[in-house]
Amino acid sequence: MKTLVICSGGLDSVSLAHKVAAEHELAGLLSFDYGQRHRKELSFAALCAERLNVPHRIIDIREIGRGLSGSALTDNVDVPDGHYAEDTMKVTVVPNRNAIMLAIAFGLAAAHKADAVATAVHGGDHFIYPDCRPAFIDAFQMMQDRALEGYAKIRLYAPYVNLTKADIVADGTTYGVPFAETWSCYRGGERHCGRCGTCVERREAFHLTGHPDPTDYEDSDFWLDALRRRRRA
């Protein structure tokens, strides 16, 4: 299956790229610059493409990103501290982001005769992000089947959609993913902050798998407080 992987440079999508390279034919990596404050993640996607020796394309959709206002990822809105499944994390939603990226990816895949587009959405995203849920994946596949009918038949490959972040760490370990060469933090500083939802989720995932976490956090213990607060809620 000749597969184009949407790769942000994060732990999930880099793990997916390694999985596809091992199990299928990796056609290349596709990243998006939508004006995200953690744009540095794109350099980690480039590292992944270099490591796997495949083409890497960054699509500039910053003008679209500027119109998707109100998100802490693109606007002058503080990224909240806390557990990734808290209601406060909904401020990190970028409306329709995955639908926009996937539509572009499917067009490129059709033009370049790929068989599939792979996305690393996972179960931990379901609470906050509606365009990461199984129902969305199924509906998007149906829509693309109609959009490309008679021209191309492309599969939306989302192997992590019902798995946890810990499952992805375990899977990535199988394929030798260098986790230190991935970026998760939404704040996009010099180091992972250790306090935002995606840092907490990352830290917790390594703990649950028992795999050493190579990430350099500014606050490596905050996740424990966030987890305790979440359990009391």
Side-chain angles (χ1 to χ4, degrees):
M1 188 167 66
K2 183 179 179 183
T3 305
L4 179 65
V5 174
I6 297 177
C7 184
S8 67
L11 185 152
D12 308 328
S13 61
V14 170
S15 295
L16 179 58
H18 278 258
K19 180 183 185 70
V20 169
E23 297 181 353
H24 303 283
E25 178 186 350
L26 179 58
L29 305 186
L30 182 63
S31 303
F32 292 90
D33 182 352
Y34 57 94
Q36 62 268 46
R37 68 171 66 199
H38 57 301
R39 188 184 185 279
K40 68 180 295 178
E41 68 180 354
L42 299 177
S43 64
F44 291 87
L47 276 177
C48 180
E50 182 179 348
R51 187 167 57 248
L52 296 175
N53 194 30
V54 295
H56 177 223
R57 174 179 287 186
I58 299 176
I59 303 293
D60 186 348
I61 56 170
R62 284 176 292 177
E63 187 59 35
I64 294 174
R66 277 191 283 272
L68 305 178
S69 58
S71 172
L73 302 193
T74 55
D75 277 8
N76 188 25
V77 177
D78 288 340
V79 175
D81 292 344
H83 194 274
Y84 59 91
E86 292 176 9
D87 279 338
T88 54
M89 296 303 150
K90 290 181 179 178
V91 75
T92 64
V93 171
V94 179
N96 230 30
R97 176 180 60 176
N98 281 351
I100 293 166
M101 293 178 181
L102 283 168
I104 294 170
F106 265 74
L108 290 172
H112 293 278
K113 311 301 182 187
D115 302 306
V117 170
T119 180
V121 299
H122 65 90
D125 294 329
H126 296 174
F127 180 77
I128 301 296
Y129 306 112
D131 57 359
C132 292
R133 296 169 188 162
F136 168 79
I137 296 297
D138 293 342
F140 194 91
Q141 179 72 74
M142 185 180 298
M143 183 267 287
Q144 284 299 309
D145 289 344
R146 299 294 177 268
L148 295 171
E149 190 171 8
Y151 183 81
K153 188 171 181 60
I154 298 171
R155 176 186 175 191
L156 178 50
Y157 181 51
Y160 298 150
V161 69
N162 289 310
L163 302 183
T164 67
K165 188 89 161 191
D167 293 327
I168 297 174
V169 170
D171 196 54
T173 301
T174 301
Y175 298 108
V177 174
F179 294 116
E181 295 180 19
T182 66
W183 185 266
S184 296
C185 184
Y186 280 158
R187 291 195 168 107
E190 288 300 313
R191 303 160 66 196
H192 280 76
C193 72
R195 300 180 65 89
C196 69
T198 189
C199 278
V200 169
E201 181 185 34
R202 180 183 177 111
R203 184 72 180 85
E204 183 181 0
F206 280 106
H207 170 75
L208 290 172
T209 60
H211 189 283
D213 185 353
T215 313
D216 180 22
Y217 298 100
E218 290 182 7
D219 189 338
S220 59
D221 296 325
F222 174 80
W223 73 280
L224 291 168
D225 291 333
L227 187 60
R228 282 192 289 267
R229 287 201 304 271
R230 175 64 182 170
R231 286 173 176 167
R232 289 197 299 265

Short mmCIF file of all heavy atoms in Angstrom, two decimals, residues 59-121:
data_model
loop_
_atom_site.label_atom_id
_atom_site.label_comp_id
_atom_site.label_asym_id
_atom_site.label_seq_id
_atom_site.Cartn_x
_atom_site.Cartn_y
_atom_site.Cartn_z
N ILE A 59 3.08 22.15 3.32
CA ILE A 59 2.07 22.96 2.65
C ILE A 59 1.77 24.19 3.50
O ILE A 59 1.44 24.07 4.69
CB ILE A 59 0.77 22.16 2.44
CG1 ILE A 59 1.04 20.89 1.64
CG2 ILE A 59 -0.28 23.02 1.74
CD1 ILE A 59 1.47 21.10 0.21
N ASP A 60 1.89 25.36 2.91
CA ASP A 60 1.65 26.61 3.61
C ASP A 60 0.16 26.96 3.56
O ASP A 60 -0.36 27.31 2.50
CB ASP A 60 2.48 27.72 2.96
CG ASP A 60 2.40 29.05 3.72
OD1 ASP A 60 1.53 29.18 4.62
OD2 ASP A 60 3.20 29.95 3.42
N ILE A 61 -0.52 26.83 4.68
CA ILE A 61 -1.93 27.23 4.76
C ILE A 61 -2.10 28.27 5.88
O ILE A 61 -3.13 28.33 6.55
CB ILE A 61 -2.88 26.02 4.97
CG1 ILE A 61 -2.49 25.21 6.21
CG2 ILE A 61 -2.91 25.14 3.73
CD1 ILE A 61 -3.55 24.17 6.59
N ARG A 62 -1.08 29.11 6.03
CA ARG A 62 -1.14 30.11 7.10
C ARG A 62 -2.29 31.09 6.92
O ARG A 62 -2.87 31.55 7.89
CB ARG A 62 0.19 30.86 7.18
CG ARG A 62 1.31 30.05 7.84
CD ARG A 62 2.62 30.80 7.83
NE ARG A 62 3.13 30.92 6.46
CZ ARG A 62 4.25 31.59 6.14
NH1 ARG A 62 4.95 32.19 7.08
NH2 ARG A 62 4.65 31.64 4.88
N GLU A 63 -2.62 31.40 5.68
CA GLU A 63 -3.74 32.32 5.45
C GLU A 63 -5.05 31.70 5.94
O GLU A 63 -5.90 32.40 6.52
CB GLU A 63 -3.83 32.67 3.97
CG GLU A 63 -4.86 33.75 3.65
CD GLU A 63 -4.58 35.07 4.37
OE1 GLU A 63 -3.39 35.42 4.55
OE2 GLU A 63 -5.55 35.73 4.78
N ILE A 64 -5.20 30.41 5.72
CA ILE A 64 -6.38 29.72 6.25
C ILE A 64 -6.33 29.71 7.77
O ILE A 64 -7.32 29.99 8.45
CB ILE A 64 -6.45 28.28 5.71
CG1 ILE A 64 -6.68 28.28 4.20
CG2 ILE A 64 -7.57 27.49 6.41
CD1 ILE A 64 -6.61 26.92 3.56
N GLY A 65 -5.16 29.41 8.33
CA GLY A 65 -5.00 29.38 9.78
C GLY A 65 -5.36 30.70 10.44
O GLY A 65 -5.94 30.72 11.54
N ARG A 66 -5.04 31.80 9.78
CA ARG A 66 -5.36 33.11 10.36
C ARG A 66 -6.87 33.31 10.47
O ARG A 66 -7.35 34.05 11.32
CB ARG A 66 -4.74 34.23 9.51
CG ARG A 66 -3.28 34.50 9.83
CD ARG A 66 -2.79 35.77 9.16
NE ARG A 66 -2.53 35.56 7.74
CZ ARG A 66 -1.37 35.15 7.25
NH1 ARG A 66 -0.36 34.90 8.06
NH2 ARG A 66 -1.20 35.01 5.95
N GLY A 67 -7.60 32.66 9.58
CA GLY A 67 -9.05 32.80 9.63
C GLY A 67 -9.72 31.90 10.65
O GLY A 67 -10.87 32.13 11.04
N LEU A 68 -9.01 30.87 11.10
CA LEU A 68 -9.58 29.92 12.07
C LEU A 68 -9.28 30.43 13.48
O LEU A 68 -8.53 29.84 14.25
CB LEU A 68 -8.99 28.52 11.85
CG LEU A 68 -9.15 27.96 10.43
CD1 LEU A 68 -8.48 26.59 10.32
CD2 LEU A 68 -10.62 27.87 10.04
N SER A 69 -9.87 31.55 13.82
CA SER A 69 -9.50 32.30 15.02
C SER A 69 -10.05 31.67 16.29
O SER A 69 -10.98 30.86 16.26
CB SER A 69 -9.99 33.74 14.90
OG SER A 69 -11.39 33.77 14.72
N GLY A 70 -9.45 32.06 17.41
CA GLY A 70 -9.95 31.67 18.71
C GLY A 70 -9.22 30.53 19.37
O GLY A 70 -9.50 30.19 20.52
N SER A 71 -8.27 29.91 18.66
CA SER A 71 -7.55 28.77 19.23
C SER A 71 -6.25 29.23 19.88
O SER A 71 -5.56 30.13 19.39
CB SER A 71 -7.22 27.75 18.13
OG SER A 71 -6.38 26.74 18.62
N ALA A 72 -5.89 28.55 20.97
CA ALA A 72 -4.62 28.83 21.64
C ALA A 72 -3.43 28.42 20.79
O ALA A 72 -2.30 28.81 21.07
CB ALA A 72 -4.57 28.12 22.99
N LEU A 73 -3.66 27.62 19.75
CA LEU A 73 -2.56 27.19 18.89
C LEU A 73 -2.21 28.21 17.83
O LEU A 73 -1.10 28.18 17.27
CB LEU A 73 -2.90 25.85 18.22
CG LEU A 73 -3.21 24.67 19.13
CD1 LEU A 73 -3.21 23.37 18.33
CD2 LEU A 73 -2.26 24.59 20.31
N THR A 74 -3.14 29.10 17.51
CA THR A 74 -2.91 30.05 16.43
C THR A 74 -3.09 31.51 16.82
O THR A 74 -2.60 32.40 16.13
CB THR A 74 -3.87 29.76 15.25
OG1 THR A 74 -5.22 29.78 15.72
CG2 THR A 74 -3.57 28.40 14.63
N ASP A 75 -3.79 31.78 17.90
CA ASP A 75 -4.08 33.14 18.32
C ASP A 75 -3.29 33.51 19.58
O ASP A 75 -2.62 32.68 20.18
CB ASP A 75 -5.58 33.30 18.62
CG ASP A 75 -6.39 33.57 17.36
OD1 ASP A 75 -5.80 33.48 16.27
OD2 ASP A 75 -7.59 33.85 17.47
N ASN A 76 -3.43 34.77 19.96
CA ASN A 76 -2.78 35.25 21.19
C ASN A 76 -3.63 34.85 22.39
O ASN A 76 -4.18 35.68 23.11
CB ASN A 76 -2.59 36.76 21.12
CG ASN A 76 -1.75 37.28 22.28
OD1 ASN A 76 -0.95 36.54 22.84
ND2 ASN A 76 -1.94 38.54 22.62
N VAL A 77 -3.75 33.54 22.57
CA VAL A 77 -4.53 32.95 23.67
C VAL A 77 -3.60 32.01 24.42
O VAL A 77 -2.89 31.22 23.81
CB VAL A 77 -5.74 32.16 23.12
CG1 VAL A 77 -6.50 31.49 24.25
CG2 VAL A 77 -6.66 33.07 22.31
N ASP A 78 -3.60 32.11 25.74
CA ASP A 78 -2.69 31.28 26.53
C ASP A 78 -3.02 29.80 26.39
O ASP A 78 -4.20 29.41 26.45
CB ASP A 78 -2.77 31.67 28.02
CG ASP A 78 -2.13 33.01 28.31
OD1 ASP A 78 -1.31 33.46 27.48
OD2 ASP A 78 -2.46 33.60 29.34
N VAL A 79 -2.00 28.99 26.21
CA VAL A 79 -2.16 27.54 26.23
C VAL A 79 -2.33 27.13 27.69
O VAL A 79 -1.47 27.42 28.52
CB VAL A 79 -0.94 26.82 25.62
CG1 VAL A 79 -1.08 25.30 25.76
CG2 VAL A 79 -0.76 27.21 24.16
N PRO A 80 -3.43 26.46 28.04
CA PRO A 80 -3.67 26.15 29.45
C PRO A 80 -2.79 25.01 29.97
O PRO A 80 -2.38 24.13 29.21
CB PRO A 80 -5.14 25.72 29.47
CG PRO A 80 -5.41 25.21 28.08
CD PRO A 80 -4.54 26.04 27.17
N ASP A 81 -2.50 25.07 31.26
CA ASP A 81 -1.88 23.94 31.95
C ASP A 81 -2.95 22.92 32.28
O ASP A 81 -4.14 23.27 32.41
CB ASP A 81 -1.25 24.40 33.29
CG ASP A 81 -0.06 25.31 33.09
OD1 ASP A 81 0.48 25.35 31.98
OD2 ASP A 81 0.33 25.97 34.08
N GLY A 82 -2.55 21.67 32.47
CA GLY A 82 -3.50 20.69 32.98
C GLY A 82 -3.54 19.40 32.20
O GLY A 82 -2.80 19.21 31.23
N HIS A 83 -4.41 18.51 32.67
CA HIS A 83 -4.58 17.21 32.04
C HIS A 83 -5.20 17.38 30.66
O HIS A 83 -6.05 18.25 30.45
CB HIS A 83 -5.48 16.33 32.91
CG HIS A 83 -5.48 14.89 32.55
ND1 HIS A 83 -6.30 14.36 31.59
CD2 HIS A 83 -4.73 13.85 33.02
CE1 HIS A 83 -6.08 13.06 31.48
NE2 HIS A 83 -5.14 12.72 32.34
N TYR A 84 -4.78 16.56 29.70
CA TYR A 84 -5.22 16.72 28.32
C TYR A 84 -6.71 16.48 28.12
O TYR A 84 -7.27 16.87 27.10
CB TYR A 84 -4.41 15.82 27.39
CG TYR A 84 -4.50 14.34 27.71
CD1 TYR A 84 -5.45 13.53 27.13
CD2 TYR A 84 -3.60 13.76 28.61
CE1 TYR A 84 -5.53 12.18 27.43
CE2 TYR A 84 -3.68 12.40 28.92
CZ TYR A 84 -4.63 11.62 28.32
OH TYR A 84 -4.71 10.30 28.62
N ALA A 85 -7.40 15.83 29.07
CA ALA A 85 -8.83 15.55 28.91
C ALA A 85 -9.70 16.54 29.68
O ALA A 85 -10.90 16.31 29.84
CB ALA A 85 -9.13 14.12 29.36
N GLU A 86 -9.13 17.64 30.15
CA GLU A 86 -9.92 18.64 30.85
C GLU A 86 -10.65 19.55 29.85
O GLU A 86 -10.17 19.77 28.73
CB GLU A 86 -9.03 19.49 31.76
CG GLU A 86 -8.44 18.72 32.94
CD GLU A 86 -7.48 19.56 33.77
OE1 GLU A 86 -7.41 20.77 33.53
OE2 GLU A 86 -6.82 18.98 34.65
N ASP A 87 -11.78 20.08 30.27
CA ASP A 87 -12.56 20.97 29.41
C ASP A 87 -11.75 22.19 28.96
O ASP A 87 -11.98 22.71 27.86
CB ASP A 87 -13.82 21.46 30.14
CG ASP A 87 -14.95 20.42 30.10
OD1 ASP A 87 -14.92 19.56 29.21
OD2 ASP A 87 -15.84 20.50 30.97
N THR A 88 -10.83 22.64 29.80
CA THR A 88 -10.04 23.82 29.46
C THR A 88 -9.21 23.61 28.20
O THR A 88 -8.81 24.57 27.54
CB THR A 88 -9.10 24.20 30.62
OG1 THR A 88 -8.31 23.06 30.98
CG2 THR A 88 -9.89 24.66 31.83
N MET A 89 -8.93 22.36 27.85
CA MET A 89 -8.10 22.08 26.67
C MET A 89 -8.85 22.33 25.36
O MET A 89 -8.24 22.33 24.29
CB MET A 89 -7.60 20.63 26.71
CG MET A 89 -6.68 20.34 27.88
SD MET A 89 -5.25 21.43 27.92
CE MET A 89 -4.96 21.49 29.70
N LYS A 90 -10.16 22.54 25.45
CA LYS A 90 -10.93 22.78 24.22
C LYS A 90 -10.51 24.08 23.54
O LYS A 90 -10.82 24.30 22.36
CB LYS A 90 -12.43 22.78 24.53
CG LYS A 90 -12.94 21.39 24.89
CD LYS A 90 -14.43 21.38 25.17
CE LYS A 90 -14.90 19.96 25.49
NZ LYS A 90 -16.34 19.90 25.83
N VAL A 91 -9.80 24.94 24.27
CA VAL A 91 -9.31 26.18 23.67
C VAL A 91 -8.21 25.90 22.65
O VAL A 91 -7.84 26.78 21.86
CB VAL A 91 -8.81 27.16 24.76
CG1 VAL A 91 -7.46 26.71 25.33
CG2 VAL A 91 -8.72 28.58 24.23
N THR A 92 -7.70 24.66 22.63
CA THR A 92 -6.66 24.29 21.64
C THR A 92 -7.27 23.75 20.34
O THR A 92 -6.53 23.39 19.42
CB THR A 92 -5.69 23.25 22.21
OG1 THR A 92 -6.38 22.02 22.48
CG2 THR A 92 -5.03 23.74 23.49
N VAL A 93 -8.58 23.69 20.25
CA VAL A 93 -9.22 23.24 19.00
C VAL A 93 -8.99 24.28 17.90
O VAL A 93 -9.23 25.48 18.09
CB VAL A 93 -10.73 23.03 19.22
CG1 VAL A 93 -11.43 22.79 17.88
CG2 VAL A 93 -10.98 21.86 20.15
N VAL A 94 -8.54 23.81 16.74
CA VAL A 94 -8.49 24.63 15.53
C VAL A 94 -9.61 24.11 14.63
O VAL A 94 -9.53 22.98 14.14
CB VAL A 94 -7.13 24.51 14.81
CG1 VAL A 94 -7.12 25.35 13.54
CG2 VAL A 94 -5.99 24.94 15.74
N PRO A 95 -10.68 24.88 14.42
CA PRO A 95 -11.87 24.36 13.76
C PRO A 95 -11.59 23.73 12.40
O PRO A 95 -10.96 24.34 11.54
CB PRO A 95 -12.77 25.60 13.61
CG PRO A 95 -12.25 26.59 14.57
CD PRO A 95 -10.80 26.31 14.76
N ASN A 96 -12.01 22.49 12.26
CA ASN A 96 -11.95 21.78 10.98
C ASN A 96 -10.52 21.51 10.48
O ASN A 96 -10.32 21.19 9.30
CB ASN A 96 -12.72 22.54 9.89
CG ASN A 96 -13.69 21.66 9.14
OD1 ASN A 96 -14.21 20.70 9.69
ND2 ASN A 96 -13.93 21.97 7.89
N ARG A 97 -9.55 21.60 11.38
CA ARG A 97 -8.15 21.48 10.96
C ARG A 97 -7.88 20.16 10.25
O ARG A 97 -7.31 20.15 9.15
CB ARG A 97 -7.22 21.60 12.18
CG ARG A 97 -5.74 21.39 11.86
CD ARG A 97 -4.87 21.53 13.08
NE ARG A 97 -5.23 20.55 14.12
CZ ARG A 97 -4.56 20.41 15.26
NH1 ARG A 97 -3.51 21.18 15.51
NH2 ARG A 97 -4.95 19.52 16.15
N ASN A 98 -8.29 19.06 10.84
CA ASN A 98 -7.99 17.77 10.21
C ASN A 98 -8.73 17.59 8.90
O ASN A 98 -8.19 17.00 7.95
CB ASN A 98 -8.33 16.62 11.17
CG ASN A 98 -7.25 16.41 12.21
OD1 ASN A 98 -6.19 17.01 12.14
ND2 ASN A 98 -7.53 15.58 13.20
N ALA A 99 -9.96 18.07 8.82
CA ALA A 99 -10.72 17.94 7.58
C ALA A 99 -10.03 18.70 6.45
O ALA A 99 -9.95 18.22 5.31
CB ALA A 99 -12.14 18.45 7.78
N ILE A 100 -9.52 19.89 6.75
CA ILE A 100 -8.82 20.70 5.75
C ILE A 100 -7.54 20.00 5.30
O ILE A 100 -7.27 19.85 4.10
CB ILE A 100 -8.50 22.10 6.31
CG1 ILE A 100 -9.80 22.89 6.53
CG2 ILE A 100 -7.56 22.86 5.39
CD1 ILE A 100 -9.64 24.12 7.38
N MET A 101 -6.75 19.54 6.26
CA MET A 101 -5.49 18.89 5.92
C MET A 101 -5.72 17.60 5.15
O MET A 101 -5.00 17.30 4.18
CB MET A 101 -4.70 18.61 7.21
CG MET A 101 -4.23 19.86 7.93
SD MET A 101 -3.36 19.43 9.47
CE MET A 101 -2.96 21.06 10.08
N LEU A 102 -6.69 16.82 5.57
CA LEU A 102 -6.96 15.55 4.91
C LEU A 102 -7.46 15.76 3.48
O LEU A 102 -7.09 15.00 2.57
CB LEU A 102 -7.97 14.73 5.70
CG LEU A 102 -7.42 14.03 6.94
CD1 LEU A 102 -8.56 13.49 7.81
CD2 LEU A 102 -6.49 12.88 6.55
N ALA A 103 -8.28 16.77 3.27
CA ALA A 103 -8.77 17.05 1.92
C ALA A 103 -7.61 17.38 0.98
O ALA A 103 -7.56 16.90 -0.16
CB ALA A 103 -9.79 18.19 1.94
N ILE A 104 -6.68 18.18 1.46
CA ILE A 104 -5.49 18.50 0.65
C ILE A 104 -4.66 17.24 0.42
O ILE A 104 -4.21 16.97 -0.70
CB ILE A 104 -4.65 19.58 1.35
CG1 ILE A 104 -5.42 20.90 1.40
CG2 ILE A 104 -3.32 19.78 0.63
CD1 ILE A 104 -4.78 21.97 2.27
N ALA A 105 -4.47 16.46 1.47
CA ALA A 105 -3.66 15.25 1.36
C ALA A 105 -4.26 14.25 0.37
O ALA A 105 -3.54 13.62 -0.41
CB ALA A 105 -3.50 14.60 2.74
N PHE A 106 -5.58 14.11 0.39
CA PHE A 106 -6.23 13.19 -0.55
C PHE A 106 -6.05 13.67 -1.99
O PHE A 106 -5.86 12.85 -2.90
CB PHE A 106 -7.71 13.02 -0.21
CG PHE A 106 -7.99 11.83 0.65
CD1 PHE A 106 -7.66 11.82 1.99
CD2 PHE A 106 -8.57 10.69 0.11
CE1 PHE A 106 -7.92 10.71 2.79
CE2 PHE A 106 -8.83 9.58 0.89
CZ PHE A 106 -8.50 9.58 2.24
N GLY A 107 -6.11 14.98 -2.21
CA GLY A 107 -5.88 15.51 -3.55
C GLY A 107 -4.48 15.20 -4.04
O GLY A 107 -4.29 14.77 -5.19
N LEU A 108 -3.49 15.40 -3.18
CA LEU A 108 -2.11 15.10 -3.53
C LEU A 108 -1.91 13.60 -3.75
O LEU A 108 -1.21 13.18 -4.68
CB LEU A 108 -1.16 15.60 -2.44
CG LEU A 108 -1.04 17.12 -2.32
CD1 LEU A 108 -0.22 17.49 -1.08
CD2 LEU A 108 -0.38 17.71 -3.56
N ALA A 109 -2.52 12.80 -2.89
CA ALA A 109 -2.39 11.35 -3.03
C ALA A 109 -2.97 10.88 -4.35
O ALA A 109 -2.39 10.02 -5.04
CB ALA A 109 -3.08 10.65 -1.86
N ALA A 110 -4.11 11.44 -4.74
CA ALA A 110 -4.72 11.07 -6.02
C ALA A 110 -3.84 11.49 -7.19
O ALA A 110 -3.64 10.72 -8.14
CB ALA A 110 -6.10 11.70 -6.13
N ALA A 111 -3.29 12.70 -7.11
CA ALA A 111 -2.45 13.20 -8.20
C ALA A 111 -1.18 12.38 -8.37
O ALA A 111 -0.66 12.24 -9.48
CB ALA A 111 -2.12 14.67 -7.95
N HIS A 112 -0.68 11.83 -7.25
CA HIS A 112 0.59 11.11 -7.29
C HIS A 112 0.40 9.59 -7.20
O HIS A 112 1.35 8.86 -6.92
CB HIS A 112 1.50 11.60 -6.17
CG HIS A 112 1.94 13.02 -6.36
ND1 HIS A 112 3.00 13.38 -7.17
CD2 HIS A 112 1.45 14.18 -5.87
CE1 HIS A 112 3.15 14.69 -7.16
NE2 HIS A 112 2.21 15.21 -6.38
N LYS A 113 -0.84 9.15 -7.42
CA LYS A 113 -1.14 7.71 -7.53
C LYS A 113 -0.81 6.92 -6.27
O LYS A 113 -0.36 5.79 -6.33
CB LYS A 113 -0.41 7.09 -8.74
CG LYS A 113 -0.56 7.86 -10.03
CD LYS A 113 -2.02 7.99 -10.45
CE LYS A 113 -2.14 8.73 -11.79
NZ LYS A 113 -3.55 9.02 -12.15
N ALA A 114 -1.05 7.52 -5.12
CA ALA A 114 -0.88 6.79 -3.86
C ALA A 114 -2.15 5.99 -3.58
O ALA A 114 -3.22 6.25 -4.14
CB ALA A 114 -0.60 7.75 -2.72
N ASP A 115 -2.01 5.00 -2.73
CA ASP A 115 -3.14 4.14 -2.37
C ASP A 115 -3.83 4.57 -1.09
O ASP A 115 -4.97 4.19 -0.84
CB ASP A 115 -2.67 2.69 -2.19
CG ASP A 115 -2.00 2.14 -3.43
OD1 ASP A 115 -2.62 2.20 -4.51
OD2 ASP A 115 -0.85 1.66 -3.32
N ALA A 116 -3.12 5.32 -0.25
CA ALA A 116 -3.67 5.65 1.07
C ALA A 116 -3.07 6.94 1.60
O ALA A 116 -1.95 7.34 1.23
CB ALA A 116 -3.40 4.51 2.06
N VAL A 117 -3.83 7.57 2.48
CA VAL A 117 -3.36 8.69 3.29
C VAL A 117 -3.44 8.24 4.74
O VAL A 117 -4.48 7.73 5.17
CB VAL A 117 -4.22 9.95 3.08
CG1 VAL A 117 -3.86 11.02 4.11
CG2 VAL A 117 -4.05 10.49 1.67
N ALA A 118 -2.36 8.40 5.47
CA ALA A 118 -2.32 7.96 6.86
C ALA A 118 -2.34 9.15 7.81
O ALA A 118 -1.63 10.14 7.59
CB ALA A 118 -1.09 7.11 7.12
N THR A 119 -3.14 9.04 8.85
CA THR A 119 -3.22 10.07 9.88
C THR A 119 -3.10 9.43 11.25
O THR A 119 -3.59 8.31 11.47
CB THR A 119 -4.53 10.88 9.76
OG1 THR A 119 -4.57 11.88 10.79
CG2 THR A 119 -5.75 9.99 9.91
N ALA A 120 -2.48 10.13 12.19
CA ALA A 120 -2.17 9.54 13.50
C ALA A 120 -3.15 9.94 14.59
O ALA A 120 -2.80 9.93 15.77
CB ALA A 120 -0.74 9.92 13.91
N VAL A 121 -4.38 10.27 14.23
CA VAL A 121 -5.37 10.57 15.27
C VAL A 121 -5.52 9.34 16.18
O VAL A 121 -5.40 8.21 15.73
CB VAL A 121 -6.73 10.95 14.66
CG1 VAL A 121 -6.60 12.19 13.80
CG2 VAL A 121 -7.32 9.81 13.85
#
